[in-house]
Amino acid sequence: MDIATAHAQPKTRVALTINGHRHDLEIHPWVTLLDLLRGPMQLNGTKKGCDHGQCGACTVLIDGERINSCLKLAVTLDGTNITTIEGLGTLDEMHPMQKAFVEHDAYQCGYCTPGQICSAVALLREGHARTREEIREMMSGNLCRCGAYTNIADAIQDVMDQEVEVGMREAAE
């Protein structure tokens, strides 16, 4: 099938909430969430790495769960809530995980950073990681070619410790 024929194929309607804003879209059924985000939605924070679900550079949150967006067809996500790195915070009001990544120099080239941060946010929401070893294991689906793993684990541990401290203060009140 040539490009002209492919683009003439029927489209499917989907309603997605992306970073808190509802979008009613008509898309081809073969479009991945990653390509939708980076293409028509112009949300380029989510990176295309391997395009096979092996590197984690494209990790976003779908209804709060971390998902490799290169592996999800956008048409399968009708009615979902999608959060990308752009939806977590801004330069003026960073998400605590974004702040921790900056404070711990948990990035070098920065290419994997959006996926790492989205994955780390979900990791803490999941509540399974309690130790540094568990953090490292549960983040193993996100690769960093620069090798900033120690700093990434430091940033996640810092936010996790802050959340525990806040929880203890709230419980005491």
Side-chain angles (χ1 to χ4, degrees):
M1 180 181 318
D2 64 25
I3 288 205
T5 305
H7 287 286
Q9 297 296 315
K11 293 183 176 182
T12 302
R13 289 182 175 272
V14 293
L16 304 173
T17 301
I18 303 172
N19 298 330
H21 302 286
R22 183 184 162 103
H23 299 274
D24 293 307
L25 306 165
E26 284 192 24
I27 57 175
H28 290 291
W30 58 80
V31 174
T32 64
L33 177 59
L34 174 61
D35 289 335
L36 177 70
L37 293 171
R38 291 187 57 79
M41 302 311 300
Q42 297 182 347
L43 295 168
N44 295 317
T46 304
K47 302 300 185 218
K48 183 178 271 203
C50 67
D51 217 16
H52 296 288
Q54 297 176 352
C55 73
C58 68
T59 304
V60 298
L61 306 176
I62 300 175
D63 292 332
E65 292 184 40
R66 50 188 164 158
I67 302 290
N68 291 337
S69 61
C70 72
L71 296 179
K72 292 298 278 184
L73 293 175
V75 296
T76 67
L77 299 170
D78 188 42
T80 60
N81 187 2
I82 299 160
T83 305
T84 68
I85 191 70
E86 293 92 345
L88 287 178
T90 65
L91 285 174
D92 294 330
E93 278 192 55
M94 283 195 251
H95 184 280
M97 191 63 71
Q98 291 170 314
K99 284 182 187 176
F101 266 64
V102 171
E103 290 168 2
H104 290 277
D105 196 26
Y107 56 88
Q108 287 182 23
C109 78
Y111 197 82
C112 72
T113 305
Q116 294 275 2
I117 290 173
C118 285
S119 190
V121 166
L123 168 74
L124 295 185
R125 281 186 193 154
E126 292 164 5
H128 300 300
R130 289 176 187 78
T131 67
R132 186 176 189 84
E133 293 75 30
E134 290 173 338
I135 289 171
R136 292 178 71 91
E137 176 63 28
M138 293 180 189
M139 287 294 292
S140 65
N142 290 81
L143 303 180
C144 172
R145 291 182 180 176
C146 299
Y149 294 114
T150 299
N151 297 2
I152 291 167
D154 289 345
I156 297 168
Q157 181 78 52
D158 188 22
V159 175
M160 187 170 71
D161 291 346
Q162 289 173 26
E163 288 180 356
V164 167
E165 190 175 303
V166 167
M168 288 172 43
R169 274 197 311 263
E170 289 173 353
E173 293 174 351

